[in-house]
Every structure is written in C-alpha cells, then in structure tokens.
Amino acid sequence: MMKKLLALMLSASMVAGLTACGTTTTEAPADGEDSQQETPTDEGGDDAETPTDEGGDDAEAPSGDGSGKHVFMFKSTGNSFGDLMFEGYEEYMTALGYEVEYDSPAETTVAAQVQMLDELITQGVASIVISTNGDTGYDEVFQKAKDAGIPIVSIDSEASVDYRLAHINQAEVADIGSYLVQAAVLITLGIDYPGDGKMEETLSSELANYSGDEIALGVLSAGVDTPVQNSWIAAMEEELAKDMYKGKVSPNLDKKYGNDDPTESTTQANAFVAENKVDCIISPTTVGIAAAGQVLKSANSEIKLTGLGLPSEMQSFMPMSADDDAFASVCPYMMLWDVIHLGAVAGAAIDAAVKNGWTGTDGETFTMAAFRDYPEEDYSVYTQGDGTFVLAGTPYIFYKDNMAEWVSVL
Ligand code: RAM
C-alpha cells in the first residue's frame, strides 16, 4: 500500500518521479522524457487540441460550452497554500479559455463558506472547486448547486460525497499519516532524512535498539472540524498502533488546534513550549508549521518540528544547504506535494465535466494536458469508502539537499 516518498528535484526528475510513482489509480504517462512540454497556454485555446477531445472512455456528449464564471473556493483568504492551488487552477483553466474567480471567505468557518456559496450559486456560476471547513452544514447550499446543474469538485479538504463529482486527493491519506509520524520519531532520535523509501526500515531498526524514555508527539492542526487534517491525524494514530512503536512512542498524540490562523497557531505553539511535554510537534498545516517554526526558534526550544509546509515559508526554520547540520534548525525535514499542479488537476477535472460530461464515477478517466513540467496524463476515478477520488500526486520530502531549489517555487 505504501507509496514512495520522494525527495524531489525539480524539472526532469519531477516527471521521472511521478512516472516511477504511478499508482493503480493514476495512469503513469507512457514515457517520462518529455519534461520540457509546454503549458496548456502554449497550445492555444483551439478546441481541437484540448484534452477533452481525446475523451474519457465513457464520456458523454458535451454538457455545455463552459462559459460563465468558474469558482475556486479555499477555506479562507490569506493562506498561501490556497493561493498556490488557485495559481495552478487558474493557469490551466485560462489557457483553455475559461473565466475563473478565486472566492474564499475571510473566516475559516463553514458558515462563511456557505454564505459565499449561496450568493455565487444565485449569481449562476458555471462550476465550483472547493476545499471545505467541515464535514457538515453544506447540504442545503450544495443541493441548490446540484439543482442548478453546477458541478462541484472538492480539493484538499473533502466535500460531501452526495454533492461532489469527485475529490481531488493530493496524495494517499494513509501515506501522509505514516510519513509524518515516521519523520517525527526519526527527528526525535536525531536521525537525518535517510533517503527515499528508507524511513520505515531505518526507523524500525532504530526503535528496536531504543531504550530511552517513551517519545511523545504533539500535533498542531488547523480547525478541530477540518476534514483533511482530521483524516491525516487518524492515519497518524493508525501508524502509531504498529508494533514497532509499542513502549517506545506514546500512542496518544497531544493535539492542539490553531485554526489555520497565524495568531491562534502561535498561541498553541507557545502552549507546547510552556507545557514542555512533547519531543516533536507534527503540524499538518502550512499555517501551523510556519507559526510553530517561529515560536520554537525564538524560544530556542529543544522541541523539534515536522509536518506539511511550504518551502518559501519555512526557510528560516530549516536547513538550506547540503552542508548544513539539519539539527541546528527546528525543522530538519518536512513534507508537502506540488500544490500548483494539484490545483491544475482540479481544473482538468472541471474541464472534463463541463465539456465532456465527466461525472466523477468510478473507473471514469480524464486527460490532463501537459502542464509546466508535467506531460499529458490520464487520471482515473477510484472509490474509497462512500466516495470517489482522483489521485493527483505523491508527497515530497523537503530537506537540506533540495530546500534551496524549492523556495522560489512553492
Ligand atoms: C494548510 C491548509 C490545507 C492543508 C495544507 C497542508 O494551508 O490547512 O488544508 O492541506 O496546509
């Protein structure tokens, strides 16, 4: 089940990495050599060249001309992660001639998103891509969209399976949970990133010889109800239930919630420092990890940090060169995925829905045109639990060997 974690180098190796990591749900491109492919912009808006014309197998007749406003809604404004997803979505969609709009509420709440959605649906938008703030509370407004024939695709944080066509999954939830715990324990043990695919085996042999105090991990999350962070925390708890951790690492995560707000996240990170009960904080949110980085650095704390972060926001808290001592920084290594590409995949799904009748049903496929360094690729819909998903990528590890390359990208 475990997919490979990649310490990713830019351009050619990005394509090669994705090819190597093709999964049963995402078809790998036929060949990986075409790292210089142009973005959809360069193909022009000519219908004959759009990915939709290559068709999914069971695509129906085009359901519309795609005119109107295509909305991308993140959890709230002021979050670079959302901005970067929108950057990818916008670039992909505008290259195909669509009109797009970035609409996110100021507050990271369900109510704020619902109110904004209601207004947009009344205006008659053409489609919605959304990262939600909660599991419940959207039924009425999503039903209104459904009645109006407005397709909904969720990204980053899931929307209800009853109303979305599919969820664009950044990477496997179980993998993210496992990697974060493994990284946090390795970091607590003072072990540098051991290399792609080597975290679990390194950890298992290190823990077998470990006889020190039980290691305690903290989590600085986003909102208490945020679907995506909660799914990752559940996956972390499953990882901690594995035999290799028994008696060595506490199965109980000390959880605090900063609500994806820099000030609240700083308060919660300060609480970790004041309580001084955990060895390492895992922050599965770009807002939380950056706030914790600042707090731990300023306090000169012995508590270490890992999680999901944007290289551009973490450069003061991470090693920036292969010669650096990773443990001189509060966060020796961390993870994320290509957020810009993720947003573009949502654009390709919307394009397929609008032009080609793609409904996000199990087994359906859509073709995404070449985008930046990524060659043209087919994405297949798969089912997990009650819902359908499209897998956009693989988690990447950011560490001293590649941080300098990535700070200007993500
Ligand atoms: C934050 C958001 C988002 C999450 C990323 C990693 O910016 O909470 O939901 O996926 O971090």
Side-chain angles (χ1 to χ4, degrees), residues 5-347:
L5 178 69
L6 294 175
L8 212 76
M9 296 302 165
L10 286 172
S11 61
S13 58
M14 175 186 287
V15 175
L18 287 171
T19 306
C21 288
T23 70
T24 50
T25 53
T26 305
E27 287 173 30
D31 58 320
E33 89 262 334
D34 200 354
S35 61
Q36 300 312 317
Q37 288 212 27
E38 291 162 354
T39 65
T41 314
D42 302 309
E43 293 176 11
D46 186 336
D47 270 348
E49 290 180 49
T50 62
T52 53
D53 297 311
E54 285 158 37
D57 341 338
D58 35 20
E60 291 158 19
S63 56
D65 63 1
S67 64
K69 210 162 64 177
H70 294 267
V71 167
F72 191 101
M73 183 178 288
F74 190 59
K75 301 196 289 191
S76 58
T77 51
N79 184 328
S80 309
F81 183 92
D83 298 351
L84 288 166
M85 277 198 301
F86 177 69
E87 183 184 321
Y89 170 83
E90 179 181 39
E91 184 175 318
Y92 191 86
M93 290 288 278
T94 53
L96 295 177
Y98 292 103
E99 184 195 339
V100 300
E101 192 172 279
Y102 190 27
D103 293 298
S104 310
E107 275 185 25
T108 319
T109 63
V110 173
Q113 280 191 321
V114 166
Q115 191 193 339
M116 195 169 242
L117 284 166
D118 192 47
E119 285 161 17
L120 290 164
I121 294 161
T122 301
Q123 285 169 28
V125 296
S127 73
I128 296 168
V129 175
I130 184 168
S131 169
T132 61
N133 285 320
D135 284 322
T136 56
Y138 295 86
D139 286 12
E140 204 179 316
V141 79
F142 280 164
Q143 185 62 48
K144 182 170 161 176
K146 205 171 182 177
D147 292 345
I150 300 168
I152 297 172
V153 163
S154 57
I155 190 167
D156 177 50
S157 205
E158 287 183 54
S160 158
V161 299
D162 297 332
Y163 303 100
R164 72 181 199 224
L165 298 185
H167 177 72
I168 312 296
N169 199 5
Q170 40 271 77
E172 294 280 8
V173 168
D175 292 349
I176 295 170
S178 296
Y179 295 148
L180 290 176
V181 166
Q182 290 165 13
V185 178
L186 283 168
I187 287 171
T188 302
L189 295 172
I191 296 160
D192 231 330
Y193 179 58
D196 294 351
K198 296 209 184 106
M199 284 214 301
E200 184 160 15
E201 108 192 28
T202 307
L203 185 56
S204 136
S205 64
E206 291 290 336
L207 281 178
N209 300 321
Y210 179 73
S211 56
D213 292 344
E214 190 180 62
I215 293 168
L217 304 178
V219 173
L220 176 55
S221 192
V224 68
D225 293 321
T226 316
V228 69
Q229 269 81 23
N230 285 344
S231 68
W232 292 327
I233 291 171
M236 290 178 211
E237 287 168 341
E238 267 179 46
E239 173 70 17
L240 282 169
K242 284 183 186 165
D243 277 349
M244 69 171 166
Y245 298 104
K246 296 246 155 73
K248 318 256 171 151
V249 183
S250 169
N252 303 315
L253 293 167
D254 183 347
K255 293 171 231 164
K256 301 192 193 297
Y257 299 89
N259 210 26
D260 266 357
D261 176 79
T263 309
E264 285 178 58
S265 301
T266 299
T267 305
Q268 296 304 321
N270 274 316
F272 274 118
V273 173
E275 292 163 14
N276 200 24
K277 286 197 288 216
V278 301
D279 298 291
C280 185
I281 298 169
I282 301 171
S283 188
T285 140
T286 56
V287 179
I289 196 173
Q294 187 59 59
V295 166
L296 296 177
K297 187 178 178 179
S298 307
N300 207 8
S301 172
E302 281 184 5
I303 300 173
K304 287 287 176 197
L305 176 67
T306 191
L308 303 175
L310 288 166
S312 57
E313 294 179 343
M314 290 298 289
Q315 43 187 320
S316 309
F317 319 121
M318 286 191 61
M320 293 300 292
S321 131
D323 302 331
D324 287 353
D325 167 12
F327 290 86
S329 298
V330 291
C331 178
Y333 39 99
M334 64 166 191
M335 261 148 273
L336 203 64
W337 37 87
D338 189 335
V339 185
I340 298 171
H341 175 255
L342 176 64
V345 175

Side-chain angles (χ1 to χ4, degrees), residues 322-384:
D323 302 331
D324 287 353
D325 167 12
F327 290 86
S329 298
V330 291
C331 178
Y333 39 99
M334 64 166 191
M335 261 148 273
L336 203 64
W337 37 87
D338 189 335
V339 185
I340 298 171
H341 175 255
L342 176 64
V345 175
I350 289 293
D351 176 54
V354 168
K355 296 255 185 71
N356 217 20
W358 180 82
T359 56
T361 307
D362 196 322
E364 246 183 319
T365 299
F366 64 84
T367 302
M368 179 174 169
F371 175 76
R372 298 198 178 186
D373 280 336
Y374 297 83
E376 178 182 289
E377 186 163 356
D378 287 343
Y379 288 88
S380 303
V381 179
Y382 65 99
T383 301
Q384 213 165 46

